[in-house]
Amino acid sequence: MKSDNIKKGVKRAPHRSLLRACGLKDDDFKKSFIGIANSFTDIVPGHIHLKKIADAVKDGVREKGGYPFEFNTMAICDGIAMNHDGMKYSLPSREIIAATVESVSKGHSFDGLVLIPSCDKVTPGMLMGAARLNIPTIVVTGGAMVPGIYKGRKVDLISIYEAVGNYSSGSMTEEELYELERCACPGEGSCSGLFTANTMACLTEAMGMSLPYCGTTLATDKRKIEIAVETGKTVIELVEKQILLSDILTNNAFNNCLAVDMALGGSTNTALHIPAIANEIKNNTLKINLNLFDKISREIPHITSISPAGDDTILDLHNAGGIPGVLKTIESKLHTNLITVNGKTIEENLKDIGNIDRKVIRSMDNPVHSEGGIAILKGNISPNGSVVKQAAVDEDMLYHKGKAKVFNSEEDGIESILGGKIEEGDILVIRYEGPKGGPGMREMLNPTAALAGMSIKRVALITDGRFSGGTRGPCIGHISPEAIENGLISIIENGDVIEIDIKNRKLELKLGDEEIKNRLSRINHPKKELDGWLNLYQKLVSSADKGAILR
C-alpha cells in the first residue's frame, strides 16, 4: 500500500508517533488510509452542508475497514464573486484546488481518495489534482439546491440576476425584487438549474467517477447521505481491487462525457474544464479540444430543456431518470463496456433502467434540438475557436449581423446596458477579460442577465472572457486568441460590422485585410496593475482554447 511510506518499518516510528497523536491505534496501521478532500465552507451555499457528507463518507470507510483522514480545500461562490474583482479569482481557484488535493495526498501517501466538491471550479479542480496522483478515487458531489418558488413559478439565482434588468427597465418594483431575493435560493446546495456546478456533477457521474444518481440527487435529499456512505464503502473496494483513476477516466470515458454534455445542453465552461482534466491524465492519447466538442455536438441531439435553456430544474431531471436516464436514452452513441467506480460497466448499470419521463428527457428521435447544446465558432475573430450555448439561443438569433459597441471591461459594458445605451441589433464586445487579459477570465452573467431582464432580445455579446452556466442567448465566449494576445477582438471599433452564424459555425469581423493589418500595427493594450496570486497566474496561464491550464 502507498500508505506504507508513512507507517511501515522501524524507520517510520516518528511518522507513526505523529499519527498516534491524531488518534490512531495499533490496529489502525493495518488499514487502508483514505484521504477525504472536503470543500466545506460557510460562505458558499453549495458547500455549507458538506460536513454532513464527509461524516457519512467516513462512516462508510470505517465500516469497510479503512481509516479516513479528512482535509479541506477552498471554494468560491461565483454568484457572490460576480461582477467585481472577486470573479478574477474564480477560475484561478481551480488550480489552487488541484494543487491542494495533489499536495496533501502526496504528502501523506493516501491509498485512496474521496472527493467532496459541489460548485463550479471545485469539481474539475479536485479531479485534476486526483488525476496527477492516479490512485483509486471516487467523487460524491454535494447536490443541487431545491428550486425557489415565486408567485407560483420555479425560480433560481439567474431569476434574480435577470430581475435586476427587469427593475432597471421599470417592469418590476423594488418590493417585488426584494420578495424574489428572499425566496430564489432557499437553502443548501448548488444553484438549481443546469449551470456549471450541476453540469460538472452530472458529467462526473457520466464519466463513471460517481455512483449512479449522485449527480442529480439534491443536497437536502436523505438519499444523498446514503450515497455518501456507499461512496465511503466503495473507495475501499477500489483500493482492494486497485482500480485506478486512469482505469476509469479513459479516452472513451471522455467521449461519453462530452456526449452527455451535448445531450443535456450543459454549461459552456465544460469547454475549459474537461480539457483541463484530460490534460492531467498520464498517457492520455485523446486530444480533448474544441474541435472534438463540435464534432460530438453534431452527432448528439439536445434532449433536455433545463434552466436557463428551459423551465425544468435539476430536481426535474432527477425525477425523470437522472443521468442513468440520459445515458440510457443515448446508449447507442456511447462506449458502454467501460468500468465505473462501483465496479460495474456502464452497460451493467443501465441494464434495468426504465420509467424515463420523456417530457423531461426526450428521446433521440424527438429532441429539443437536432444538435448538441454547445457549438464552436471560428472565423477571423476567433481562429482558434469560441464557444456558445446554442441550446439557449432563440432560433431567430442563430444568425445575426450587427454593429459593434466595444468595451474594455465588464464594468463598462454593464454600465452601458443599465444606462439604456444598448439598442436592438447591437453586438456588444467585451474584451481584455480573457485568462491573461482579465486576468482570470471573468464570467459575464451580469451583462447577459441584464439584457434578458430588460427584454432587449436582438442583441448579441462576444467576449474573450466567459459566461456563467446560467447565461442564455447569443453570447459567445472564450474567443481565442484573446485581446491581450493581439487577437482580432483587440482591434474591433464601435460601428464595425460583425457577422454571427451559429448554424455554420462562423464569427467574422467584416473588415478588409489592409485595414486589419493597419489596426494590428497600432494596438495599444490597456495596462493593469497586478500583485499577488493573479500576477503569477497571468504569467503561467494558457489560452481558453487550451482549457486555461497553467504552464
Side-chain angles (χ1 to χ4, degrees), residues 3 12 54 56 88 226 258 266 301 351 396 417 449 458 496 548:
S3 59
R12 295 301 182 249
K88 293 181 178 181
E226 295 170 2
L258 295 187
K351 184 178 179 181
D396 65 349
I417 294 168
R458 293 198 60 78
D496 285 346

Side-chain angles (χ1 to χ4, degrees), residues 192-194 264-265 302 304-314 317 360:
S192 63
L194 190 63
L264 289 171
H302 174 220
T304 68
S305 189
I306 304 168
S307 175
D311 295 328
D312 290 333
T313 67
I314 293 297
L317 176 62
V360 178

Side-chain angles (χ1 to χ4, degrees), residues 43-63:
I43 198 169
V44 183
H47 297 246
I48 57 177
H49 63 298
L50 296 187
K51 282 184 178 178
K52 294 183 291 186
I53 303 278
D55 287 343
V57 170
K58 286 190 275 190
D59 287 343
V61 170
R62 293 189 187 102
E63 188 174 332

Side-chain angles (χ1 to χ4, degrees), residues 216-292:
T216 57
T217 300
L218 265 58
T220 54
D221 189 334
K222 65 179 183 179
R223 175 66 182 136
K224 180 63 77 172
I225 297 300
E226 295 170 2
I227 290 173
V229 174
E230 290 174 27
T231 297
K233 295 177 183 178
T234 302
V235 74
I236 299 299
E237 295 172 2
L238 291 172
V239 171
E240 290 172 350
K241 296 175 183 177
Q242 275 302 285
I243 298 175
L244 307 179
L245 179 142
S246 61
D247 295 325
I248 297 171
L249 287 188
T250 62
N251 293 347
N252 287 336
F254 281 108
N255 271 304
N256 287 349
C257 164
L258 295 187
V260 171
D261 192 10
M262 298 309 157
L264 289 171
S267 166
T268 52
N269 284 313
T270 60
L272 293 171
H273 299 323
I274 300 304
I277 296 166
N279 181 69
E280 301 291 350
I281 305 290
K282 293 175 183 175
N283 303 318
N284 178 30
T285 58
L286 179 64
K287 191 74 173 176
I288 305 286
N289 55 28
L290 296 185
N291 292 332
L292 183 61

Side-chain angles (χ1 to χ4, degrees), residues 277-461:
I277 296 166
N279 181 69
E280 301 291 350
I281 305 290
K282 293 175 183 175
N283 303 318
N284 178 30
T285 58
L286 179 64
K287 191 74 173 176
I288 305 286
N289 55 28
L290 296 185
N291 292 332
L292 183 61
F293 272 78
D294 203 57
K295 176 181 179 294
I296 294 178
S297 178
R298 294 176 186 272
E299 298 170 352
I300 304 293
H302 174 220
I303 59 173
T304 68
S305 189
I306 304 168
S307 175
D311 295 328
D312 290 333
T313 67
I314 293 297
L315 177 58
D316 297 311
L317 176 62
H318 182 71
N319 291 337
I323 297 307
V326 175
L327 290 167
K328 187 70 174 180
T329 301
I330 63 170
E331 187 173 10
S332 63
K333 299 286 188 178
L334 300 176
H335 302 276
T336 58
N337 61 338
L338 308 182
I339 194 75
T340 68
V341 286
N342 67 357
K344 297 179 181 179
T345 65
I346 294 172
E347 183 179 17
E348 290 170 331
N349 284 332
L350 298 181
K351 184 178 179 181
D352 298 320
I353 298 299
N355 300 319
I356 299 169
D357 183 350
R358 291 301 179 197
K359 292 179 181 178
V360 178
I361 303 173
R362 309 253 297 250
S363 63
M364 288 183 68
D365 58 6
N366 181 36
V368 181
H369 298 104
S370 60
E371 290 188 341
I374 290 175
I376 306 302
L377 310 188
K378 293 190 176 182
N380 62 0
I381 296 178
S382 57
N384 297 341
S386 58
V387 184
V388 62
K389 185 189 274 196
Q390 64 174 343
V393 180
D394 289 341
E395 183 72 23
D396 65 349
M397 284 299 289
L398 292 173
Y399 179 88
H400 183 64
K401 193 173 184 179
K403 292 183 178 180
K405 286 190 176 175
V406 184
F407 307 95
N408 284 344
S409 71
E410 179 190 0
E411 286 82 359
D412 290 347
I414 191 67
E415 182 181 346
S416 187
I417 294 168
L418 295 178
K421 298 177 182 178
I422 302 303
E423 301 172 353
E424 297 283 354
D426 286 344
I427 296 180
L428 280 67
V429 178
I430 298 180
R431 63 192 178 193
Y432 296 104
E433 292 288 4
K436 285 184 180 293
M441 203 179 183
R442 287 195 287 181
E443 289 185 346
M444 304 285 162
L445 178 56
N446 248 28
T448 59
L451 288 168
M454 295 172 75
S455 298
I456 303 174
K457 298 185 182 300
R458 293 198 60 78
V459 169
L461 196 161

